[in-house]
Amino acid sequence: MKTPKARTIRPRGTPWILGLIGVLVLVPLALILPLAAVAAVSGLAIVGGALLWRRLSAFAVAQEVVSKEIGVLSQRLVKLEAVTAALIQSRMQDSAMADGSARPPDEAVKALDARFDAGIEEVTAEIGILSGIVRELAAVVASQDGDIARLRVQAQAPQPKPVPQAAPEPIRPRPAPAAPPPPETEPVAPPMRLVPRTTLPAARPSDHFATDADAAMLIEAFDGEGLEVFLQPVVTLPQRKVVAYEALARLKVGDAVYAPETFLPVLERHGRTTALDRRMLQRVATIARHLQGRGSPASVSYSLTPHSLFEPGFLRSLGRLVSEGPELAGRVVIALPQSSWRSLDAEQAALLAGLRGRIGFVMDRPIDLRFDPTALAERGITQVKVAAALLLRPLDREARPDIALEDLVTSLARAGIRLVATGVEAETEVPDLIDLDVPLAQGGVFAAPRAVRSEVLSASPEAAPPPPPSPDPPPSPPPQRRPFRDFLRRAG
């Protein structure tokens, strides 16, 4: 059977001849009869369109024939490939049977087994890795469960009872004017109190009020009239001019007066640290009004306990405290430890930012000297309190600043922050601090902390009552103090 051949597509002579005749006839006709020339051109266009349509039809028929031939040819090629593959396979089988050897099938099976083994090894390796990860997670979870169980046991364990003869020793009389170490020199304890506790921690062996009876005595003194306020001045160097005061909490239990490092652990166990801060801030505001009435530009600072930052509504109450007395703007200063400034969350940072301009900010109780003056200035911090021992003694590599101490003081000053050396107890330390260009200092060598007179604290105008009962009203003042008290009432 012969395949029909397609017609060869080649140039035709007829259209060219007709076109030449049309040009020779239409040109003279257009000069003589234009309308007839237009009619003739239209007729030629119709004839040309008819010829073009016929030509396109011929193209379509030829394309269809060619596609059919290509399809037949592809089918024949597929059949030929199949036949060729069958012949090759049959010949290979015949040759294998003739030789009596089964090597090719064995090699194929071996290759398949090798690929199968490789896949199994890969899956086995992945399972081993996953099992190792699961074992590590199980070990971590087990250790955490063990820590939680130990903490629960420690929290539920009864407190040890001391020997009877050792009971009277926790309360030891101290001379009232003796100046205990300032609270700024507590380098380790405050950072450990950042996270609020839901259970009461166990009493530490070094606590003076480790027993329940002694702790109850201290709490009773705190709720009563045992809380006292001591002031220690901050002076300039080298002039030693008083520019500010720091309010220090003291608790009088019986005839003894205790510093915060002694009674704060007991207040923490009973959840009274925030009450301490509220009462102290009320008295700091009273002292600031008193200093303003005397015409003193000195401010009064107080070191907050880190727990108060997590007390709901405490930071907002600071704003209300200052709003009640606009004249106290900038005169009441709160100090927070370095660890608290570094661990502020978004809400705490926003509340403190809202207090800028009304309450001053100080960073104290540092654990290292790696300060970022720009970041501190953005927080609104105007002073940084550092113990003199950290400035004058050799420091560990982790606590050293990245620059020299002289340059550190200068960089803080450029950011509007003044460095305060605290705990200066020896006169020999003062020249060294002056050589470091330290602008402010505080310590027993300049002035020991002194108790604030009760009439100054009782002269406060109407203020928000603290949670514990307010102290008894003071006796009537002498006549020479009456004008000043009247002035304080008008300022409130």
Side-chain angles (χ1 to χ4, degrees):
M1 179 178 178
K2 294 184 179 180
T3 303
K5 295 182 179 181
R7 296 178 58 184
T8 303
I9 300 174
R10 61 182 184 276
R12 305 289 182 89
T14 303
W16 295 97
I17 295 173
L18 291 176
L20 181 60
I21 294 174
V23 171
L24 295 176
V25 173
L26 290 177
V27 172
L29 186 61
L31 296 175
I32 300 172
L33 297 173
L35 295 177
V38 171
V41 170
S42 301
L44 289 176
I46 294 173
V47 174
L51 294 176
L52 182 60
W53 176 79
R54 183 182 176 186
R55 189 74 176 270
L56 292 176
S57 299
F59 284 162
V61 173
Q63 182 179 3
E64 185 178 358
V65 173
V66 171
S67 63
K68 289 181 179 179
E69 290 181 354
I70 292 175
V72 173
L73 181 60
S74 63
Q75 293 177 0
R76 291 181 178 179
L77 287 176
V78 171
K79 290 181 180 179
L80 181 60
E81 289 177 357
V83 172
T84 304
L87 290 175
I88 293 174
Q89 186 175 3
S90 62
R91 288 183 180 179
M92 290 179 63
Q93 292 178 356
D94 293 341
S95 61
M97 293 177 63
D99 295 340
S101 174
R103 291 179 182 178
D106 289 345
E107 292 177 358
V109 172
K110 289 180 180 178
L112 183 60
D113 292 339
R115 278 192 290 174
F116 185 73
D117 293 339
I120 292 177
E121 290 177 359
E122 184 177 359
V123 174
T124 304
E126 293 179 357
I127 293 175
I129 294 173
L130 292 176
S131 62
I133 295 174
V134 171
R135 284 196 298 271
E136 293 177 359
L137 289 175
V140 172
V141 172
S143 64
Q144 292 181 352
D145 291 340
D147 295 338
I148 294 173
R150 283 196 300 272
L151 292 175
R152 287 179 178 175
V153 171
Q154 292 177 3
Q156 296 175 358
Q159 298 180 354
K161 296 183 179 180
V163 184
Q165 58 269 21
E169 290 188 3
I171 302 180
R172 299 175 182 175
R174 295 184 184 179
E184 297 85 353
T185 58
E186 302 175 338
V188 178
M192 300 302 295
R193 304 171 190 156
L194 284 177
V195 181
R197 296 168 177 155
T198 57
T199 58
L200 298 179
R204 287 178 285 184
S206 60
D207 289 345
H208 290 267
F209 301 90
T211 64
D212 294 339
D214 294 337
M217 185 184 304
L218 186 145
I219 294 299
E220 182 180 359
F222 175 77
D223 292 341
E225 300 179 2
L227 183 62
E228 297 182 354
V229 181
F230 281 56
L231 288 183
Q232 186 173 30
V234 178
V235 301
T236 60
L237 292 180
Q239 297 84 3
R240 303 195 180 192
K241 179 183 177 181
V242 177
V243 293
Y245 293 92
E246 180 176 6
L248 306 174
R250 296 290 186 267
L251 189 60
K252 187 175 182 180
V253 182
D255 295 332
V257 179
Y258 294 96
E261 57 267 19
T262 303
F263 63 81
L264 266 182
V266 181
L267 296 183
E268 286 180 4
R269 292 200 300 269
H270 291 79
R272 299 296 186 89
T273 54
T274 304
L276 170 66
D277 289 342
R278 292 183 188 276
R279 293 177 62 181
M280 286 296 298
L281 286 174
Q282 290 288 345
R283 301 187 180 190
V284 166
T286 302
I287 297 170
R289 289 192 184 95
H290 176 78
L291 294 175
Q292 183 192 18
R294 294 176 53 186
S296 173
S299 60
V300 184
S301 65
Y302 171 69
S303 296
L304 294 177
T305 58
H307 282 293
S308 297
L309 292 177
F310 301 94
E311 184 71 18
F314 177 79
L315 293 179
R316 291 185 175 87
S317 66
L318 295 181
R320 292 193 295 269
L321 174 67
V322 181
S323 62
E324 293 174 357
E327 72 278 359
L328 298 180
R331 291 181 173 271
V332 176
V333 181
I334 60 174
L336 290 171
Q338 184 183 40
S339 55
S340 296
W341 284 111
R342 290 179 175 177
S343 59
L344 290 177
D345 57 24
E347 182 181 2
Q348 295 169 349
L351 291 175
L352 290 176
L355 297 175
R356 291 183 60 178
R358 296 184 292 171
I359 293 181
F361 297 142
V362 175
M363 186 184 74
D364 63 353
R365 290 161 281 179
I367 56 179
D368 58 58
L369 299 182
R370 298 179 178 274
F371 302 143
D372 186 355
T374 304
L376 297 179
E378 290 177 354
R379 295 282 192 185
I381 297 174
T382 57
Q383 290 183 4
V384 173
K385 291 190 174 183
V386 182
L390 289 178
L391 297 174
L392 302 178
R393 309 293 188 271
L395 300 176
D396 297 336
R397 185 178 299 274
E398 293 78 9
R400 294 177 186 173
D402 297 332
I403 57 178
L405 287 177
E406 299 84 350
D407 298 334
L408 176 63
V409 176
T410 305
S411 62
L412 289 174
R414 282 198 297 264
I417 302 173
R418 307 181 74 183
L419 183 66
V420 183
T422 61
V424 183
E425 302 297 335
E427 191 69 35
T428 56
E429 296 176 344
V430 178
D432 297 333
L433 294 175
I434 295 175
D435 292 339
L436 293 176
D437 294 332
V438 176
L440 302 174
Q442 174 185 352
V445 70
F446 306 110
R450 298 179 58 184
V452 180
R453 298 192 305 271
S454 58
E455 56 266 22
V456 174
L457 298 177
S458 61
S460 170
E462 297 181 1
S470 59
D472 296 335
S476 59
Q480 61 270 21
R481 296 184 181 275
R482 190 180 305 276
F484 175 70
R485 293 170 59 84
D486 295 340
F487 172 78
L488 286 179
R489 290 194 184 93
R490 290 194 299 272

